[in-house]
Amino acid sequence: MIDDSLSWFSEDDIDVKNIISIKNLHGYVIPHASTKYTGKIISHTLQFKPFKKFDNIYIVYLPIYDKKNVRERYYHEYYVPYMSLKYCMKKYWNIKRKIKFIPIDLKNNKNKNKLKISNSLIILSVDFSHNLPLQQALKLEDKASHSLMFQNLEDNEYNRIIDHKHIFEYLYDNLIDKYQFQWIGRTRSPGLKGVGYLSFLLRKNNDKKNIDGY
């Protein structure tokens, strides 16, 4: 049996530098495509280490396939963030205690009512535009990103590129209004019509130190 997990995650793709511990960091939005394409943006995002102590990591995702497609044990939407965080915590964050990973599968309603942020990180597994020319994708992603930061998920052209906006709807339904997203990264898969990958920090207030914009 071929180990298809190797096509989704490789430690060689993750290279975190300049670890920065910041307060009021409670989670991330990171992509779920193969780390061959997303390793750099995941590394860039995970250089921001939560100052708070946490014991759980929730990964919220919405599978595209009916069956688990990584070693018949995982959906790739869960597997890529899971392995990236697991590897980063051990190698770069120097966390030696046991951390519990809790999958929240919105398609199959797994652990859907368990979200608690007090001693946890929340990971949203999300890609953005698919199979669009670069300039069109950038315009739509810009609008979608600002829409997310203002918790506006109405059905329109730019919000439809979010894969998938139900993940954000779930978060907004379960968190109070004091939390917001800080957009920090963007990249794209190769090709004329690629896939857009954006990343965000989930933070509790407007701590504007060392931040150029929201």
Side-chain angles (χ1 to χ4, degrees), residues 7 38 48 51-52 60 90 127 130 133 142 175 204 211:
S7 65
T38 62
F48 297 99
F51 188 82
K52 77 171 187 178
V60 187
K90 181 179 179 181
D127 286 348
H130 285 65
D142 286 348
L175 290 184
K204 193 172 183 178
I211 297 172

Side-chain angles (χ1 to χ4, degrees), residues 6 23 31 46 78 86 94 98 108 139 159 175:
L6 299 177
K23 296 181 180 180
L46 297 183
Y78 174 80
K86 187 177 178 181
N94 196 30
K98 186 176 181 180
N108 300 298
K139 290 179 180 179
N159 281 339
L175 290 184

Side-chain angles (χ1 to χ4, degrees), residues 28-29 124 145 148-149 151 168 171-172 179-183 200-203 214:
Y28 309 86
V29 177
L124 305 188
S145 296
L148 290 174
M149 288 187 281
Q151 299 189 15
F168 292 95
L171 185 76
Y172 296 152
Y179 295 89
Q180 67 178 180
F181 291 108
Q182 179 183 325
W183 183 13
F200 301 78
L201 305 182
L202 178 63
R203 304 191 71 185
Y214 284 90

